[in-house]
Amino acid sequence: MRHYLDVDALSAGELAGLLDLADVLKAGRGPREDLAGRSVGMIFEKPSTRTRVSFQVAVAELGGHGVVLNAADLQLGRGETIEDTGRVLSRYLHALVVRTHAQSRLEALATTATVPVVNALSDAAHPCQALADLQTVRERAGGLAGLTLAYLGDGNNVAHSLLVAGATAGMRVVVASPPAYQPDAAVAERAAALAARTGGRVLVTADPLEAATGADVVYTDVWASMGQDDEREDRVAALRPYRVDADVMAAADDDAIVLHCLPAHRGEEIAAEVIDGPSSAVWDQAENRLHTQKALLLLLLGEPGGGAT
Ligand code: CP
Ligand code: NVA
């Protein structure tokens, strides 16, 4: 029994295998029976479009039963602890997918849950997103190791998991953010330690054009994440120079692709002409949430040895 609280729960080999399986599941999409008789709970303490629907459909297409739980409708909203919630839900469900605030809430849940806990986004990490991101890069560029991914903008949960995922896959990940909004130094160090083993590299800079120059992948995310709306004005002022626009794309490699985990704010963190232009792979990226999450569920819940393909 294992949890998936961030990407480094997977070894480099497991990550590559998961992406291979996601490709197989994408190519042969259709009903399966892998999760027949099993139920997966999904607790949302924040809003979601993609994660909620793609997990629900993933479970259904694998033959399982999905139970979507809005936190406000649970006793969690009336003060029941996350630990007790984990103890009880483990008696009904076979996995728990959870979107929440502090990463420590997921860690607390993982101490009492006796079924796999999957991080469906926390303030610190978005490891399910990073799987879809890598699948998209791989299908567009044919590989991952040695490629440069430039992330411009807020050094947030998405940036954190990309740092760890890219480093695990042997990529060069460059994050450009203003000094007040750079990724957590501890996460950058964790990623750098992984990169040292895989031949990847990790770099944090304040210079957006330095990051974008020659990049194979240009990535951005919202400037104010869920829970940060009251900081919006300050964030927009500080992050404006990090917008992914035509100038940024002109600095990147000629064949560079653009990714955004969505939801997007055109004219804010990304120019409309970029997200809606020929370099954009964001709709494939959103679709790949479905395939990579199926592969993840099979890894966590499937028969030993895979039995999955
Ligand atoms: N990218 C992503 O996680 O989207 P949702 O917030 O809509 O799930
Ligand atoms: N960083 C964003 C990602 C949304 C999918 C947030 O946490 O709101």
Side-chain angles (χ1 to χ4, degrees):
M1 206 278 291
R2 58 195 298 198
H3 304 300
Y4 184 66
L5 303 191
D6 205 347
V7 181
D8 42 5
L10 303 176
S11 68
E14 284 175 327
L15 176 60
L18 188 153
L19 297 176
D20 287 343
L21 178 55
D23 287 345
V24 170
L25 293 165
K26 183 172 185 173
R29 183 175 171 187
R32 297 172 61 106
E33 294 298 324
D34 310 79
L35 298 189
R38 289 190 275 184
S39 299
V40 176
M42 299 158 227
I43 299 179
F44 285 89
E45 295 191 316
K46 290 175 178 171
S48 167
T49 297
R50 281 145 287 272
T51 308
R52 180 192 307 260
V53 177
S54 58
F55 259 115
Q56 215 173 345
V57 172
V59 171
E61 290 187 2
L62 292 175
H65 178 62
V67 183
V68 177
L69 304 158
N70 289 317
D73 299 332
L74 300 175
Q75 296 287 6
L76 268 175
R78 299 184 62 252
E80 185 166 25
T81 66
I82 193 82
E83 290 90 341
D84 285 353
T85 304
R87 286 184 180 101
V88 173
L89 292 183
S90 296
R91 302 291 180 106
Y92 311 133
L93 300 164
H94 299 87
L96 270 169
V97 172
V98 182
R99 170 166 287 195
T100 189
H101 300 273
Q103 184 79 2
S104 57
R105 248 174 115 62
L106 288 165
E107 285 159 6
L109 176 62
T111 62
T112 58
T114 55
V115 298
V117 175
V118 173
N119 181 356
L121 181 147
S122 65
D123 294 346
H126 198 359
C128 291
Q129 181 66 52
L131 299 176
D133 302 341
L134 293 193
Q135 184 184 20
T136 311
V137 174
R138 236 174 57 147
E139 64 192 4
R140 292 286 178 129
L144 295 172
L147 295 185
T148 298
L149 183 152
Y151 176 98
L152 273 59
D154 184 26
N156 60 16
N157 44 8
V158 168
H160 287 163
S161 289
L162 265 178
L163 276 163
V164 176
T168 303
M171 298 177 80
R172 183 170 174 269
V173 186
V174 189
V175 176
S177 316
Y181 297 106
Q182 293 195 337
D184 183 21
V187 176
E189 278 168 31
R190 240 168 75 213
L194 288 163
R197 295 211 291 272
T198 61
R201 250 197 101 188
V202 163
L203 216 81
V204 177
T205 172
D207 184 341
L209 281 183
E210 180 199 343
T213 299
D216 302 290
V217 183
V218 178
Y219 198 122
T220 191
D221 182 21
V222 294
W223 288 342
S225 285
M226 290 179 275
Q228 297 174 334
D229 289 324
D230 52 348
E231 300 170 22
R232 190 170 184 80
E233 219 175 293
D234 288 348
R235 288 177 161 274
V236 169
L239 285 154
R240 196 169 286 123
Y242 298 81
R243 170 178 302 140
V244 172
D245 59 15
D247 290 342
V248 167
M249 294 313 296
D253 188 81
D254 287 346
D255 297 324
I257 63 163
V258 173
L259 298 180
H260 189 311
C261 64
L262 304 175
H265 299 89
R266 288 172 175 76
E268 209 164 279
E269 75 276 359
I270 193 160
E273 61 184 333
V274 174
I275 193 169
D276 299 319
S279 309
S280 174
V282 302
W283 315 116
D284 288 344
Q285 180 188 7
E287 178 189 327
N288 288 340
R289 296 293 304 275
L290 173 68
H291 311 302
T292 46
Q293 285 161 193
K294 279 184 183 171
L296 178 66
L297 289 169
L298 291 177
L299 178 83
L300 298 177
L301 293 176
E303 297 304 317
T309 47

